[in-house]
Amino acid sequence: MSDIGIVRRMDDLGRMVIPKEIRRNLRFKNGDPLEIFIDKNAIVFRKYDPTPDPLGNQADNISKVLAETLGGEAVVTREDVVISAPGNKSLLKKSLSEDIHDKIKNGESYFGRKGEELMEGWDSKSNFICTPLNHEGNIVGSVILFKEKPTNVEEKVMLAMTAFLEKQY
């Protein structure tokens, strides 16, 4: 946990304002339900998600199949957080960069370049293709394949895998 030095006072009803910078960094938006719990001696806020992980271990299976079939390395995200990275466990729980997250929110595949910031503080070591995971009109995640020269055929394979994951919701 980082000490960022922001002090807020609580009002008579126990309310406090979460600073805008923190809300932006955590991607909290107006109206987002937050889960509040105690961890040791700290109060923790996180986005509330009432559904269990619908993907279960399917995300790992898809990542492995894509990597074995197409070569390269594959990861799956839920929302903007990596939930499966069998080839590189250090990527687990990393958040997509705001720029990449914004690009896939329109529901179209995105071809990225080597050196582009894919995740917060992490530049891609390879070109990549990112296909959005759609559930009832909302982008709920993505499948990302790292490959030096991703092709349109590989994009179609990824779209098929993404469609399979969408059926898990």
Side-chain angles (χ1 to χ4, degrees), residues 32-149:
D32 280 349
L34 298 179
E35 182 177 16
I36 305 167
F37 60 95
I38 298 173
D39 183 11
K40 295 182 184 164
N41 203 19
I43 299 172
V44 178
F45 292 85
R46 71 175 172 207
K47 284 185 182 179
Y48 174 67
D49 186 354
T51 60
D53 187 357
L55 301 179
N57 64 0
Q58 294 302 324
D60 280 342
N61 291 338
I62 293 292
S63 297
K64 288 175 186 173
V65 167
L66 282 171
E68 291 167 5
T69 306
L70 302 177
E73 189 177 314
V75 301
V76 175
T77 70
R78 182 161 189 214
E79 295 291 328
D80 63 338
V81 177
V82 176
I83 61 168
S84 172
N88 188 347
K89 299 286 186 198
S90 69
L91 296 180
L92 282 175
K93 298 187 180 178
K94 282 198 176 282
S95 294
L96 291 179
S97 71
E98 201 167 323
D99 187 43
I100 297 296
H101 188 61
D102 287 344
K103 287 177 180 174
I104 63 167
K105 278 198 292 193
N106 69 10
E108 296 178 12
S109 297
Y110 175 72
F111 285 84
R113 302 247 177 244
K114 180 178 185 175
E116 185 173 352
E117 184 183 37
L118 174 62
M119 295 170 208
E120 301 290 346
W122 188 84
D123 296 341
S124 178
K125 311 294 185 256
S126 174
N127 293 329
F128 60 92
I129 182 172
C130 184
T131 56
L133 183 57
N134 187 325
H135 177 65
E136 297 178 352
N138 297 312
I139 303 303
V140 295
S142 62
V143 179
I144 302 169
L145 175 69
F146 300 97
K147 187 136 188 207
E148 218 33 62
K149 294 181 181 175

